[in-house]
């Protein structure tokens, strides 16, 4: 029952998304649509031209072209380390979702639970997770575990908070409406509360996945034998600035790709309130 | 277009009904005090009163969304403890689910009651056509105007052929012109269905225009100050209503009560 309802929502989003983008294309100009891309190209172009003109050596600041070439030539090396980091991020984030969403449900449904847990959660959020990295390494060693735990810890909070806020921000009258139709709490949740909270929940997921990348890389900085963070430290110690930058680009790309994967999933299951405006 | 949909109106029996709220400071606020009422099947009852007179509480009690402090309400003889299956509710805001199409919004009660969706889909389309929304079934609420959205909400309440239709200031959020149109459409719609309606409103004119019976509620504690039978033939013409002596007589009686209670003050 729940799954069909969510599938319907996705259907709506898709058909609607198509008609909307069609309208936009005619209304907005080419320049308007690609303005961000254009600014990006100009900035990178300026970097490319200004580096040789300023007389900076490649060791200090490599050109974008050099970085690009290095990414291509060292693709297999970068991919091997990306794979490690990616798994850490995915596991950490997945645990964050699997624990964060149920915890948010407990906080939402139980006032006692909310009073007992919510303040502690907010208090813990003031602890910079990154500062736990050395301790986690101490406890969990050099392998996967501390990175996954760090990615989990850092992505957990935004998932819990956005889910709780999404559930709590529902108009009480809507609950009265479905109750007047004879809905039980199960139906109220799947027909009303969950679909209404999805935009918030996915907003939290997007923030969380970007943070999870940071968590995993920081974990690798502290102690690792593999992963993009490790690779970057290696490049650093060998004064290989080009590889260093190539790693930064790869880490960024990883974050962006994960963000868009969540965006695509959201488009399939959720429906934005403002899509038609 | 004019397929009559006959649903037998429900009888409503309210006896010794009181509702007392407790505030944070442990004060007691009496929202409704010892109300006794009986609505005959198929009557259009309008309830008017100032803000905070307990008329929304009354609706919430009738809908089975809040429980009474004392006394009870029976719909067709069943004393209600939770929302009765024979009711449909229209609230002040349309409360459409933005992720559902118009048709799926209208069918929501059917889905929740796990009834045959295929059978009711036709009826939903019929209802939408009757309120001038033919072909809007696949649109989304965000594509509709305020008046259209409230029409959809009314269709949603009517889909299950409710014996008792509860309306809580349904036109309160609409602009004046849309409201006039909705009042006329409401009459046409009700003449086809002729179920029991409890229509809560601030508007004295719309109450008199639409109702068989107008109940005037006093400010706290909520009691029935005046029980006015409106004896005007139907269909009534909104455009002609302002020249209608009978109409003015009824409106005058209600205003007099409000003035006596200090709800309306003449200068």
């Amino acid at each position: 029952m729940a799954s069909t309802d969510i599938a319907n929502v996705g259907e709506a989003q898709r058909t609607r998304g198509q008609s909307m983008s069609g309208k936009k294309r005619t209304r907005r100009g080419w320049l308007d649509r690609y303005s961000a891309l254009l600014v990006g190209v100009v900035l990178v172009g300026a970097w490319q031209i200004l580096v040789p003109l300023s007389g900076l050596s490649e060791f200090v600041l490599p050109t974008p072209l050099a970085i690009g070439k290095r990414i291509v030539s060292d693709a297999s090396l970068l991919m091997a380390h990306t794979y490690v980091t990616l798994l850490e991020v995915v596991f950490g984030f997945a645990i964050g979702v699997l624990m964060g969403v149920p915890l948010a449900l407990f906080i939402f449904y139980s006032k006692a639970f909310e009073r007992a847990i919510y303040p502690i959660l907010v208090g813990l959020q003031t602890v910079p997770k990154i500062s736990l990295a050395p301790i986690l390494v101490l406890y969990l060693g050099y392998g996967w575990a501390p990175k996954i735990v760090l990615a989990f810890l850092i992505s957990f909070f935004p998932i819990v908070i956005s889910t709780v806020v999404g559930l709590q921000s529902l108009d009480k009258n809507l609950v009265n409406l479905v109750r007047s139709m004879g809905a039980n709490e199960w139906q109220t949740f799947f027909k009303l509360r969950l679909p209404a909270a999805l935009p918030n929940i996915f907003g939290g997921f997007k923030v969380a996945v970007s943070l999870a990348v940071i968590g995993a890389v920081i974990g690798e900085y502290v102690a690792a034998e593999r992963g993009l963070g490790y690779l970057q430290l290696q490049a650093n110690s060998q004064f290989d600035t080009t590889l260093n930058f190539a790693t930064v680009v790869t880490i960024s790309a990883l974050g962006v790709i994960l963000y868009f994967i969540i965006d695509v999933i959201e488009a399939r299951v959720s429906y934005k309130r403002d899509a038609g405006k | 277009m004019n397929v009559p949909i006959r649903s037998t109106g429900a009888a409503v029996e309210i006896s010794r009904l009181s509702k007392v709220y407790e505030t944070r400071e442990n004060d007691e606020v009496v929202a409704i005090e010892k109300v006794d009422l009986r609505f005959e099947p198929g009557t259009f009852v309008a309830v008017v009163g100032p803000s905070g007179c307990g008329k929304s509480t009354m609706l919430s009690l009738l809908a089975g969304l809040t429980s009474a402090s004392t006394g009870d309400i029976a719909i067709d003889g069943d004393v209600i403890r939770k929302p009765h299956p024979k009711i449909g509710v229209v609230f002040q805001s349309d409360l459409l689910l933005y992720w559902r199409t118009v048709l799926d919004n209208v069918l929501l009660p059917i889905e929740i009651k796990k009834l045959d969706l295929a059978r009711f889909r036709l009826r939903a389309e019929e209802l939408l056509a009757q309120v001038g929304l033919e072909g809007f079934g696949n649109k989304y609420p965000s594509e509709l105007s305020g008046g259209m959205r409230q029409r959809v909400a009314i269709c949603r309440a009517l889909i299950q052929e409710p014996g008792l239709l509860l309306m809580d200031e349904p036109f309160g959020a609409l602009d004046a012109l849309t409201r006039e149109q909705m009042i006329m459409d409401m009459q046409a719609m009700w003449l086809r269905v002729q179920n029991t309606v409890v229509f809560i409103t601030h508007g004295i004119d719309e109450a008199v225009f639409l109702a068989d019976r107008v109940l005037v509620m006093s400010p706290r504690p909520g009691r029935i100050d005046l029980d006015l039978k409106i004896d005007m033939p139907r269909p009534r013409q909104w455009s002609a209503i302002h020249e209608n002596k009978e109409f003015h007589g009824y409106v005058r009686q209600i205003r007099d009560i409000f003035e006596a209670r200090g709800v309306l003050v003449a200068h």
Side-chain angles (χ1 to χ4, degrees), chain A residues 15 97 241:
Chain A
T15 47
V97 172
T241 323

Side-chain angles (χ1 to χ4, degrees), chain A residues 5 12 179 187 191 271, chain B residues 83 98 100 111-113 140:
Chain A
D5 208 42
R179 277 185 56 213
Q187 288 176 314
K191 301 247 180 248
Y271 180 78
Chain B
Y98 64 84
R100 283 173 167 254
E111 244 179 87
I112 285 175
K113 293 190 166 134
Y140 281 86

Side-chain angles (χ1 to χ4, degrees), chain A:
Chain A
M1 173 189 61
S3 59
T4 52
D5 208 42
I6 289 169
N8 288 341
V9 174
E11 188 86 35
Q13 167 80 5
R14 259 170 280 141
T15 47
R16 200 149 152 74
Q18 282 161 9
S19 67
M20 280 304 134
S21 62
K23 263 186 214 164
K24 264 179 197 156
R25 211 158 285 152
T26 50
R27 209 186 305 143
R28 287 195 185 178
W30 181 91
L31 199 70
D32 206 19
R33 259 187 327 127
Y34 293 107
S35 55
L37 189 67
L38 205 68
V39 172
V41 167
V42 167
L43 286 176
V44 172
W47 177 359
Q48 178 70 37
I49 294 163
L50 289 179
V51 168
L53 287 179
S54 66
L56 282 173
S57 98
E58 282 278 301
F59 287 114
V60 179
L61 185 64
T63 62
L65 213 59
I67 297 166
K69 277 182 185 158
R70 187 60 183 273
I71 290 173
V72 175
S73 65
D74 268 343
S76 62
L77 176 74
L78 283 164
M79 281 310 292
H81 288 280
T82 304
Y83 178 67
V84 172
T85 306
L86 173 69
L87 284 184
E88 291 161 1
V89 172
V90 168
F91 275 107
F93 174 73
I95 298 170
V97 172
L98 291 176
M99 297 196 57
V101 173
L103 181 69
L105 291 178
F106 275 116
I107 291 171
F108 176 73
Y109 276 110
S110 159
K111 276 272 166 288
F113 205 81
E114 182 184 355
R115 268 195 293 273
I117 298 293
Y118 217 36
I120 293 174
L121 210 63
V122 174
L124 282 178
Q125 179 56 12
T126 61
V127 177
K129 306 293 175 299
I130 290 162
S131 66
L132 294 175
I135 302 169
L136 288 172
V137 169
L138 197 66
Y139 291 162
L140 301 169
Y142 294 93
W144 300 84
K147 290 91 181 176
I148 291 176
V149 171
L150 207 57
F152 155 67
L153 284 175
I154 209 167
S155 58
F156 180 65
F157 190 75
I159 293 171
V160 175
I161 297 301
S162 61
T163 307
V164 170
V165 169
L167 291 168
Q168 283 177 343
S169 60
L170 185 69
D171 184 349
K172 294 268 182 306
N173 287 320
L174 280 166
V175 178
N176 278 337
L177 174 81
V178 297
R179 277 185 56 213
S180 79
M181 296 170 185
N184 54 32
E185 183 47 43
W186 188 260
Q187 288 176 314
T188 306
F189 181 78
F190 283 107
K191 301 247 180 248
L192 178 63
R193 293 191 200 278
L194 182 62
L198 278 179
N200 265 304
I201 294 174
F202 273 99
F205 284 179
K206 285 179 191 169
V207 172
V209 85
S210 312
L211 288 174
V213 174
I214 297 174
V217 171
I218 297 276
E220 289 165 356
Y221 285 163
V222 175
E225 289 158 339
R226 279 169 298 183
L228 289 170
Y230 165 80
L231 182 66
Q232 199 188 355
L233 285 193
Q234 292 299 303
N236 222 27
S237 64
Q238 291 157 18
F239 300 102
D240 189 346
T241 323
T242 315
L243 180 61
N244 204 330
F245 269 97
T247 320
V248 171
V249 172
T250 312
I251 294 170
S252 311
L254 182 63
V256 170
I257 289 167
L258 288 170
Y259 182 98
F260 277 108
I261 288 172
I262 293 183
D263 201 53
V264 167
I265 296 170
E266 180 182 13
R268 294 195 135 256
V269 301
S270 177
Y271 180 78
K272 288 192 188 71
R273 185 186 275 275
D274 301 327
K277 289 171 189 159

